Amino acid sequence: MDFSPFDESLLATCSGDETVKLWRLCDPELQQPSSPELTLRPGHGRLELVAFHPTSSGLLAVGATKSPLLWDTSRQDAPLAGSYIYPHLNPHQKYITVSLATPFYDLIPLSSSLSLTLSLVSHCLADTSTRGVAMVPKLALDVMSCEVMRVLQLTDSCIVPISYQVPRKVCEFHDDLYPDTVGTTPAMSADEWWQGGNKQVKKNLHSTTNSHPTVLQDPARGCSTSSSPLSTPSSSAAPSRSPSSTSGLSSGFLPSPSPSQSAKAIQNLLGPTSKFRHIQGAVMHRDTHITNLRGLNLTTPGESDGFCANSQRVAVPLAISGGQIAILERSQPGRLPDTSMPTIQNSVNVVDFSWDPFDTHQLAVAGDDAKIRVWQVPEGGLTETLTEPEVILQGHTEKIYSIKYHPLASGLLVSSSYDLTVRLWDVDSGEEVKILSGHQDQIFGMAWSPDGKLLATVCKDGKVRIYDPRKSAEPVQEGPGPEGHRGARVVWVCEGKYLLVSGFDSRSERGLYLYAADSLSTGAIDTAMVDVSPSTLIPFYDPDTSVVILTGKGDTRVHIYEVVTEAPHFMPCSSFNSPEPHKGLAFLPKTECSVRDVEIAVGLMLTKTTIEPVAFRVPRVKKEFFQDDVYTDTAVCWEPALTASAWLSGMNGHHKKISLKPKDMTPVSEAPKEAPVRKYLPSSVYLEEKTDEQKKEELLTAMVAKLGNMDDPLPQESFEGVDEDEWAKYLAQIIVMGAQVVGRAFARALQQEYAASQAAAKARGSSAQHSAAASSITGMTVQEAQQILNISTLTPEEIQKNYEHLFKVNDKSVGGSFYIQSKVVRAKERLEEELNIQTQQEKPQKTET
């Protein structure tokens, strides 16, 4: 099959029934036709290939079993030519490539790994077997993200876009990557080509055809956008599994505005940026790692984060019968022993688990037997395997999806299950206190609001819901969620005024969806597509900075955005890439961040064999000051605000807040203002009158300074066995030699200047005989000397004054040079010689008088 290069709705197919069919496709939202617009019957046996001509309209090449055929689709009676066009064709060759006026690209053999297909450009390993590959037209590429190629990978169950981008500065047009590309208007008809025409498709510049921008040019000329149904712009900085985007627009450009308009257009294109855009993720020192992890369970359900951590310990599921969980103390990093270690034994498979935010020893574990077991880890960690939980919570009738502790009330837990209910539990009493209903399918995720009043859920039935558990068992709000059904997560952002949902669209592309918490029914107010990957993005939100950090299990890239209440709501920041796929990322309380290193988040990254701390830092210049614009007062989320019974009775609470500022650090907002440093001294310093002794002293000081700082230790000072008299003699020699070095340098500069000036004076000559002789001797004319010393009338006082000033300001110690000083000296000597000549010429005139 093949699409027409000049009509995106025209599709040609050939098949084993020996027919060629032309289909007129309609908009994707409408039902496609069930019958072709045109059927061709070549009558040459089984048909293998079909391809449209790249420059002429309606010309179709068909590959039969033994011969290629050319058809004019406007005529249904017969092909234009038969197999005799290519007498050199091997009749036993099954697959052929038809070469027309503009050659087609050679067909690339497919394999189960896409890396073989694309190995010449970039190595890209597909997650599943490849059944076909198609290249997206050039006109649909996102040029502002340096996307140079996009292919669509056909698998057994989906079509995956794969984007290739050159690592360049984004949001700028790189014309070396994008020469003018062909338009969508045919160069000639089929008859014209058959008569010998060889016209090429024109490369139009700014028009649009069939809703495609035909050519993308330099954005310095200004920019505009044109919608394209095939466009899926990308914003990643390197070849990726999919183009990620924040809009569905392709960019085209208009002719040349002024430079100021160009700068403004680029600024408008970039839009507002985040102050955290240069955030840096870094794996901490190896001494903080926990290594030699063995037997990890990597098959936890998608609703689980994979592992969990608090400020003191980490819980990791093991692939051992009995649903065992390893408890690792963060205070004891290093290599774990090769022998077995104590664990928590649940006796059933683990589906999700969570630490109590107010008790670092209490761990709740949900099993596939519809029960929740609450375990108490002893002080100092496990010394023996635990087999009996403190509490068992029973009530669900089917396997549990996930569990979450309440952020304010102690001992309050919520769980979701395959029985499509959400249940609230009082952990201390072991009782079920609330049952929430209304879900029609699998519950992907849950999240408590920051004030602990509301509970949000996202469901496979395509709905986002908000519950007020103390008032109603039914949702108080409901709205459309992500279209994809592969998984989703939800988190409250911007002081609980918005909901952020990470999920999939209908094309299985991962994206972020922002909802106003008070109007879910209106749908998402903004969307940002991220990339294509099978795992669900798990969000971590920092309420102090409004930064959300997202990654999926099995990913190597951690995405970071700042979420704001005004458009654009998602402001991308620098991402963090791990050297190998990680199995999860769990974040620690804000108190674990080092404010001296400007860390805004610290997480633990789980790999196959290690747990590695990762710090996310904001680069700042004045790190010695407390960055109070980054560190607002943070909530004491490790202390409960009220009890479960108090919350159930209708009471509300809030966390108290504390400052993270150390006592010995000054806020950067109170840092003293630094006075600007002057690079040069003011002119008054040079113009003030000084005595000859002062001038000599300054000159000597400048010369001695060239010898280096006499206070600095010399290598000889470490020697021993030399008496003081010898050192005095050596020191005197060093000073004399240093003065000689400076004097020789000045003399060389003076000689060079003299030779150059003398040659120039000889070339120019002079009208007056005596002045010419003087110019020849001194190597400089009077006019040049006057220009150098900036003198209009020749007087001894003016010459001396300007000479002293210019000689001083061109001293090497203040940024001058010996060469310029030599020029000043030669100019003074030439003007003094000129004064002597004028004086001698005036004496004979007075004698005659």
Side-chain angles (χ1 to χ4, degrees), residues 23-52:
W23 305 81
R24 178 68 61 179
L25 307 181
C26 54
D27 292 337
E29 293 81 7
L30 304 177
Q31 185 176 0
Q32 299 300 329
S34 58
S35 59
E37 188 177 77
L38 177 64
T39 301
L40 306 177
R41 302 182 184 275
H44 285 253
R46 179 184 176 88
L47 304 179
E48 303 288 352
L49 301 171
V50 63
F52 277 100

Side-chain angles (χ1 to χ4, degrees), residues 331-362:
S331 60
Q332 302 173 10
R335 179 182 175 88
L336 296 176
D338 294 333
T339 57
S340 60
M341 53 186 176
T343 60
I344 292 177
Q345 189 168 352
N346 288 275
S347 71
V348 295
N349 293 331
V350 175
V351 294
D352 195 18
F353 46 102
S354 176
W355 289 105
D356 188 333
F358 313 121
D359 186 353
T360 57
H361 300 275
Q362 188 177 100

Side-chain angles (χ1 to χ4, degrees), residues 633-655:
D633 290 350
T634 190
V636 185
C637 58
W638 52 92
E639 295 180 0
L642 66 168
T643 62
S645 57
W647 184 85
L648 292 170
S649 64
M651 294 180 61
N652 295 314
H654 58 84
H655 288 302

Side-chain angles (χ1 to χ4, degrees), residues 622 624-628 665-674:
K622 299 180 179 181
E624 67 272 17
F625 295 99
F626 177 73
Q627 309 294 321
D628 50 355
M665 293 187 72
T666 303
V668 70
S669 59
E670 301 176 7
K673 303 296 182 181
E674 295 182 357

